[in-house]
Amino acid sequence: MNHTKEEHRDELIQKNMGYVVTLARQYTSELLSTDDLISEGSIGLIKAAEKYDSSRGKPFVTFAAPYIRHSIEEAIRKVTGEIPVLSTDESLPVGSKNNYTLLNVLEDTDAKKADLDLEQASLSDDLIRAIVVLNEREQAVVKGFFGIGGERKTMAEIGVELGLKRERVRQIRDKAVRKLRKASIEK
């Protein structure tokens, strides 16, 4: 049985009104009742249902959530002049049981921390000054392992470059670190 576009839209609206209620209950307003917020959210649901294209593979609730939220938030903004606040630890999409929150979106875990570059540069400078107490092979291992003057390398990668086994590279690194510690204590 083929549905007309209007019937499909009406079905989406009818089946997802409970989701509107769930979203509306997350907002509070002294001037708007929960019923008012649900009504406003329903307007967003209707707009979403009119624009939804199921051929794109996105679930309807995922597509509709921003429309519903926008309608609710816009109503609160019009009445109070305030921007509604949403908890940063609320699961997204709201009501889901996953651990994906607004804080995950706000925090870029791939970005370096602000002081990391400065700290790394300072550490590298200190190591470069201290590294003179090491022999040539120890210097190569320490520079490779700590990424001094280039990318950090694994012990296996350093071993390939120097023609050594990974375990031998670890031993050289440990000996070099002990020498560096001893040199820093003697200063």
Side-chain angles (χ1 to χ4, degrees):
M1 179 176 152
N2 288 337
H3 290 302
T4 65
K5 189 174 182 177
E6 290 78 23
E7 288 173 330
H8 185 65
R9 182 199 66 209
D10 292 345
E11 187 178 331
L12 284 173
I13 293 167
Q14 187 178 28
K15 286 185 175 182
N16 290 286
M17 277 306 296
Y19 187 61
V20 173
V21 173
T22 301
L23 291 181
R25 286 187 176 150
Q26 293 175 355
Y27 293 90
T28 56
S29 172
E30 293 177 17
L31 302 174
L32 294 172
S33 68
T34 301
D35 287 342
D36 291 334
L37 296 174
I38 292 169
S39 295
E40 293 298 330
S42 298
I43 293 169
L45 179 67
I46 293 166
K47 286 178 185 174
E50 289 171 352
K51 294 182 179 196
Y52 181 65
D53 180 3
S54 61
S55 68
R56 295 195 170 198
K58 192 175 202 178
F60 178 70
V61 291
T62 304
F63 179 81
Y67 287 90
I68 297 166
R69 287 193 179 288
H70 178 75
S71 291
I72 294 170
E73 292 170 4
E74 195 59 34
I76 293 171
R77 200 174 296 119
K78 283 179 184 174
V79 172
T80 64
E82 296 177 4
I83 298 172
V85 177
L86 192 62
S87 172
T88 58
D89 59 359
E90 180 68 44
S91 291
L92 297 175
V94 175
S96 69
K97 302 274 189 262
N98 67 28
N99 292 328
Y100 193 69
T101 65
L102 184 58
L103 189 58
N104 297 122
V105 175
L106 297 174
E107 180 182 3
D108 182 358
T109 55
D110 293 331
K112 288 186 176 181
K113 302 298 180 210
D115 296 339
L116 187 59
D117 285 337
L118 182 60
E119 185 180 320
Q120 288 290 83
S122 175
L123 180 60
S124 291
D125 290 345
D126 291 344
L127 277 171
I128 290 169
R129 280 194 294 278
I131 211 164
V132 296
V133 300
L134 305 176
N135 67 36
E136 194 174 312
R137 187 165 63 172
E138 290 168 336
Q139 285 184 20
V141 169
V142 168
K143 285 179 179 180
F145 186 78
F146 291 104
I148 300 170
E151 289 288 313
R152 287 187 73 160
K153 297 175 185 156
T154 66
M155 287 186 263
E157 291 170 331
I158 296 167
V160 168
E161 286 180 7
L162 300 177
L164 303 169
K165 294 197 180 288
R166 192 193 73 74
E167 178 59 23
R168 182 65 185 132
V169 171
R170 186 193 62 74
Q171 292 168 353
I172 294 168
R173 182 207 59 195
D174 291 349
K175 181 180 177 186
V177 168
R178 284 192 298 274
K179 274 187 178 179
L180 289 170
R181 277 193 189 124
K182 185 178 179 187
S184 70
I185 293 170
E186 292 174 355
K187 282 188 175 183

